[in-house]
Amino acid sequence: MKEFALDDRLANDSVAVTITGLCDVRLMKDRRWPWLVLIPRRPDKSEVFDLTPLDRVLLTFETDKVASALKTLTGATKINVGALGNIVRQLHVHVIARFEGDANWPGPVWGYGKAEPYSDEDMNSLIAKLRETLSQ
């Protein structure tokens, strides 16, 4: 059986937060939007329907848990959830906190401007809060 390997682009554009039952949860390196990505730890999957029925249920449960945690921590106006995969084919689900007046509100985040890095302090603080919230 082939082993799970994280796509290089996802690895470079994000930092590890935690591993849930199914997914790697990672924070995108762009402070304009609190933006998490869930990557099911299954090799060679590019579509949700490629997963087993049980894995699809787990992905839905974990996406909901991460989205709820992100909304609680950020007080976001809206949580956007999407699985696009046009550029990075490895199955991954974006969970993005949006705020009225944020960069490109109410438009999409993809392709808008240039990523703005977190300070180490802000990134580490957010990751610690996410880990704490997700472990409850």
Side-chain angles (χ1 to χ4, degrees):
M1 175 184 249
K2 189 173 179 181
E3 291 194 26
F4 169 79
L6 182 62
D7 180 273
D8 289 341
R9 185 160 176 162
L10 289 172
N12 291 332
D13 291 348
S14 64
V15 62
V17 172
T18 193
I19 296 175
T20 57
L22 175 67
C23 296
D24 275 1
V25 179
R26 300 182 64 86
L27 174 67
M28 293 296 287
K29 296 176 182 175
D30 189 346
R31 69 177 182 86
R32 296 176 297 167
W33 305 282
W35 179 347
L36 299 171
V37 181
L38 286 80
I39 305 109
R41 296 181 59 78
R42 301 294 187 257
D44 299 327
K45 302 300 182 204
S46 61
E47 307 291 350
V48 172
F49 58 77
D50 291 337
L51 296 171
T52 66
L54 179 57
D55 282 349
R56 288 195 301 269
V57 170
L58 283 172
L59 179 60
T60 299
F61 174 80
E62 292 177 11
T63 301
D64 289 352
K65 185 172 182 170
V66 167
S68 178
L70 192 59
K71 179 133 184 160
T72 297
L73 286 174
T74 65
T77 304
K78 180 72 175 90
I79 298 292
N80 292 170
V81 176
L84 301 175
N86 296 345
I87 296 173
V88 175
R89 296 298 166 101
Q90 182 173 41
L91 178 58
H92 60 288
V93 177
H94 299 270
V95 180
I96 308 164
R98 299 298 306 272
F99 305 86
E100 288 185 36
D102 72 22
N104 208 37
W105 175 268
V109 299
W110 287 277
Y112 180 79
K114 185 175 177 178
E116 297 176 13
Y118 283 94
S119 69
D120 288 344
E121 182 179 339
D122 288 346
M123 183 172 55
N124 291 334
S125 175
L126 180 54
I127 289 171
K129 289 174 186 174
L130 286 164
R131 285 178 179 158
E132 181 180 341
T133 303
L134 291 171
S135 69
Q136 297 174 0

